[in-house]
Amino acid sequence: MPARKIHSTWQSCRWLGLGLWLLGASAAAQTLTLVSYGGSYGRSVERAWVEPFMAETGIEVRMEDYNGGLAQIRAQVETGNVFWDVVDLTTPDAVRACDEGLLEFVMLADLPAADGTPASEDFLPDSRSECSGGGLVSATIVAFNNQQFPDAPPSRLEDFFDLERFPGRRGMRRVPIANLEFALLADGVPINEVYATLDTDAGIARAFAKLDTIKDEIVFWEAGAQPPQMLADEEVVMTTAYNGRIFNAQVLENQPFTIIWDGQLQETSGPGIVLGTPRLEIARRFIEFMSRPESLAAISKYISYSPTRYSANAMVDSHRETGIAMGPHMPSAPANMKRALISDWLWWADNGDEMNERFAVWLSR
Amino acid sequence: MAITLKRWDRQALGAALLVAPLAIFVAVTFVAPLATMLVRSVYQPAVAEALPETLAALAEWDGGSLPDEETFRIAGAEFVALNERRALGSVATRVNRLESGMRSTLLGTARSLAAETPSASWREAMIAADADWGAIESWLAIRRAGEVITPRYYLNALDLDRGGAGEIVVQPEDRRIYVSLLLRTLAISIAITGICLLLAYPVAWLLAHARPRRAGLLLLLVLVPFWTSLLVRTTSWIVLLQNQGVINDLLVTLGILAEQQRLALIYNMTGTIIAMVHVLLPFMILPLYSIMRAIPERHMQAAASLGASHWQALRRVYWPQSLPGVAAGSLLVFILSIGYYITPALVGGRTGQLISSMIAYHMEQSLNWGLAAALGGILLLLVGTLFFIYDRLVGVDRMRLGG
């Protein structure tokens, strides 16, 4: 190849490289990465928050799925290579991540209610960490497939642990959270004594002893999308699940599932911003957008999770596709609250590691 | 002489340049992470770097009664300063692993001390903020978390711990897990290797001694699954083996099993063994095949002509010659299965998990990387020891992957 030609090829390579670099840089500045839990919840997030946000701001949002936990966030912050911007976090995870300096602070003053109520009075108590925005209340509940129990269906949390009257396999998330609480509730511990009981060694032993009674029948799940699938496949007769996933299977896929609201465990979640993201500005805009009461209320058009803001709860209406009134399907509906436990995120932030370890030992036996 | 030396030099340089990319690749992707991991299993400087003054004060503390006022003051001030830099949370997480509840004790105390600096006694102010500061265990936990070089993770990985006076004690029964899991992993790996050998030997024999056309077809049957994605193969086993799966449905339809008797073939140890044997089978067949192909068929004929029965010829003539393949295949399958992760994770359920699941758990969920590294270190040591024993008994030089 003659020298001149090489030179011109080299030149064009350089221009091409510069162009690609500019393209990459501009794309990086414009695209926000939002990490959530996927499945039917992920689709609800996309329709209620992501699409309106893109329409309003012109900022591109890319969605990614995960199954919770802080490992990836921690790895990104520690290596200084942050490619997740906004992450949907459960409140205990948000508290831990905030304390460990993995998230940016989110100022309440930036999230006013539509009617001018200060945000500090608008959020449910203890529903957010200093690093997360407005979020949702969800419940872990027990659900079953009607076809498996045509005559006498289960109706109480105790029935999940009753293999004699309701034989068959049980689905359960492969973590101690919720399962320990359910075990104690079903063993007769009153709602307001559950965490005090778990604070003692005897209480923990009692919870595991209760789990032992159904251990051989348990099939474990990890992603929130699995339990409705396991019920539909008749792989299990009953399973713990997130109420919104079961709701969506009921109304969108006409699955014959029933939720047992008795003994539900309510948790909150909200989005946080990964510390050190180069897209901090658009991440803040997204948090501000989705924390608006009307945005929080909008997701209830797609899935039965209720907002953590009082002013948003008043705006909850009906399901977009079927027109069902959403109120009765929410974890906080009075009829569903007869025996409901609010998850103690502080207890879990403190004892999560030890409980996980004990749970792992229990699993392996 | 000088000329040959120079030429040899140039050849050596050329060879070095040729292997350089691979050497660099191995160094970056294998040696460096391995070394980092082994270092991490004993070296944990984070707490020591965060709390230098507190740990210096605690070093002189007898550990028998509560620390003095001065230690309380130094520690309290250091907690407040750390929390302002948002660095107390990760320290608290590490201390919390040794003593549950210390996370909120540390963070809560730092917050209340920052809100109101004690005017008189720090000791009283801290105990008022959280009663845990009145317990010796809290201070012992901080001191232990501050050890830079620590055998703690290796002890934990062997279900041991250190008592109050630093003596080694066995963990209480409901906290023991790793030793039994390690033994289970070893047993399963041996079982899988054995099953693979039993299944692979006849197949490899067929492959090696069938007519070329048929051998080619057979080889394709071995290789196509080998080339198929691991995930596809594992999830196919889920379809086949699950409670409402193909095999159970077939058995029920044929009337061999009643509806209530469906076999639990997956999400347990059975599932792990079946799927792993399938995934690892080619690693046994291929080395066996390449060795067997090199064994002349005349040897068997010669044995027969000298009066050996078919069985005798197989046992005394064929089997010894195929041993290098058996050794290579077995070692390969055993080492692969001892650290196998994805298949047990997908089909192992509760009882079919191997030690790898705990390593992954501590890497991804609990973020206790020290313990994950120690478990990995023990696994590495185990494989190294087995390799050494194998070398002594069989000889690595006798192992051949190809004829």
Side-chain angles (χ1 to χ4, degrees), chain B residues 347-368:
Chain B
V347 303
R350 182 174 66 79
T351 52
Q353 295 301 324
L354 307 181
I355 193 83
S356 57
S357 70
M358 285 315 291
I359 298 179
Y361 166 76
H362 285 301
M363 287 301 292
E364 293 169 0
Q365 305 290 319
S366 76
L367 308 182
N368 192 347

Side-chain angles (χ1 to χ4, degrees), chain B residues 15 28 43 47 60 87 113 152 250 271 292 298 320 345-346 368 373 380 390 399:
Chain B
V28 170
Y43 177 70
V47 175
E60 281 150 36
L113 290 177
R152 186 167 71 237
L250 197 69
M292 285 179 177
R298 275 168 311 184
L346 287 172
N368 192 347
L380 188 68
Y390 173 88
M399 181 172 88

